Amino acid sequence: MEISGAAALVTGGASGLGEATVRRLAAAGVDVTIVDRNADLGEALAKELGGSAKFVSADVTKPEEVAEAVALAGESSPLRIAVNCAGVGIAMRSIAKDGTPHDPGAFRFVLDVNLIGTFNVLTHAASAISKTDPLEDNERGVIVNTASIAAFDGQIGQLAYSASKGGVVGMTLPAARDLSAVGVRVVTIAPGTFDTPMLALLPQEARDALGAGIPFPKRLGKPVEFGELVHSIATISALNGEVIRLDGALRMPPK
Ligand SMILES: NC(=O)c1ccc[n+]([C@@H]2O[C@H](COP(=O)([O-])OP(=O)(O)OC[C@H]3O[C@@H](n4cnc5c(N)ncnc54)[C@H](O)[C@@H]3O)[C@@H](O)[C@H]2O)c1
């Protein structure tokens, strides 16, 4: 798909994998809307990128805020790309050491942001993209979701996170099939361990150990590599209905 001159929306675009995606798409001549609940970081990034990016504050769990962000993203150029990077993680076991069951509120919170948030953006963005003029092969656009290898190799303490990311993996094929009628593709990336602010909370020793456990390359993933994959997904029209692991062949052990 020709993406130069099109508009894109990137949730979680103020930080980490989303920020790298914003930078890559802006460099490709895309008119990018950063959608995040962190206004300080989002506005600073938009300012740095100048005319090629703007910031819209929105919480992906709120459909009315997502609808507003989608409308603003497609204001001056046709919206063709929506990337779901907003996400949260918690560490909580099915039962605590004293046998207390997992807090259902914490479970719902993670599902709400990672799964319902992705659903909100996917459905609202697809609706907007479906109204744009078709390009070659009747293609109108693409939606890229972010799952995690925890959807497949969930570790101890990842009950909620893995459930939310498994849901994102599960939505990929039916969404691609639903949206084939309007020429919108759906592809999900399942990252391994990436060097983002999410992981920066860990001490350097723990981050080095995580990197050393990856078969090759023996380091944490670089956010620019994620941004590069999003760019490739957007431009390669044959990619659809697939979940792509981006993990250096990492298969997570139980803990
Ligand atoms: N970093 C990794 O190793 C890794 C691995 C696998 C999957 N992922 C996934 O990649 C995505 C991006 O992670 P990251 O490492 O860049 O994290 P990050 O914390 O750097 O960025 C996440 C961004 O999402 C935003 N956000 C959170 N909740 C939101 C909400 N309700 N509405 C709007 N914005 C919200 C945050 O403000 C933040 O800017 C997440 O879905 C995460 O689960 C990350």
Side-chain angles (χ1 to χ4, degrees):
M1 182 170 69
E2 173 59 55
I3 63 171
S4 175
L9 167 160
V10 182
T11 75
S15 171
L17 304 182
E19 177 190 339
T21 301
V22 168
R23 290 182 186 280
R24 182 64 185 92
L25 294 177
V30 175
D31 168 18
V32 188
T33 297
I34 303 160
V35 179
D36 207 292
R37 60 179 183 190
N38 188 328
D40 289 347
L41 286 180
E43 269 159 12
L45 180 60
K47 196 170 164 204
E48 183 199 323
L49 294 174
S52 48
K54 65 173 179 280
F55 172 71
V56 174
S57 175
D59 181 335
V60 294
T61 67
K62 306 210 164 101
E64 61 289 351
E65 292 187 15
V66 169
E68 174 83 23
V70 167
L72 290 170
E75 240 179 359
S76 39
S77 337
L79 182 67
R80 301 219 178 266
I81 305 168
V83 187
N84 277 295
C85 284
V88 292
I90 57 162
M92 196 175 284
R93 296 183 186 206
S94 305
I95 58 171
K97 288 212 168 107
D98 67 359
T100 310
H102 192 298
D103 172 15
F107 188 85
R108 268 203 201 94
F109 168 69
V110 176
L111 268 282
D112 207 21
V113 178
N114 295 357
L115 181 57
I116 308 290
T118 299
F119 161 83
N120 287 336
V121 174
L122 185 153
T123 52
H124 283 272
S127 170
I129 297 171
S130 75
K131 292 172 189 126
T132 60
D133 292 334
L135 303 171
E136 194 183 345
D137 295 327
N138 282 324
E139 182 171 14
R140 287 191 170 82
V142 64
I143 292 164
V144 182
N145 302 317
T146 308
S148 163
I149 59 169
F152 311 105
D153 325 326
Q155 295 187 292
I156 285 172
Q158 290 194 308
L159 190 74
Y161 188 70
S162 292
S164 70
K165 297 301 191 179
V168 173
V169 167
M171 288 198 294
T172 307
L173 183 59
R177 287 174 163 171
D178 285 346
L179 298 173
S180 60
V182 290
V184 178
R185 296 180 287 121
V186 182
V187 177
T188 294
I189 302 173
T193 41
F194 274 70
D195 196 3
T196 70
M198 218 182 223
L199 280 195
L201 300 170
L202 295 175
Q204 187 60 44
E205 235 173 56
R207 296 167 67 231
D208 289 347
L210 277 176
I214 299 171
F216 187 82
K218 285 200 171 300
R219 58 162 172 78
L220 296 175
K222 297 176 186 172
V224 289
E225 295 174 311
F226 181 93
E228 199 57 45
L229 180 56
V230 173
H231 177 266
S232 296
I233 290 169
T235 54
I236 302 172
S237 299
L239 262 176
N240 193 13
E242 181 57 303
V243 179
I244 304 170
R245 289 182 73 124
L246 186 63
D247 63 3
L250 176 64
R251 300 294 178 270
M252 291 287 220
K255 60 177 177 180

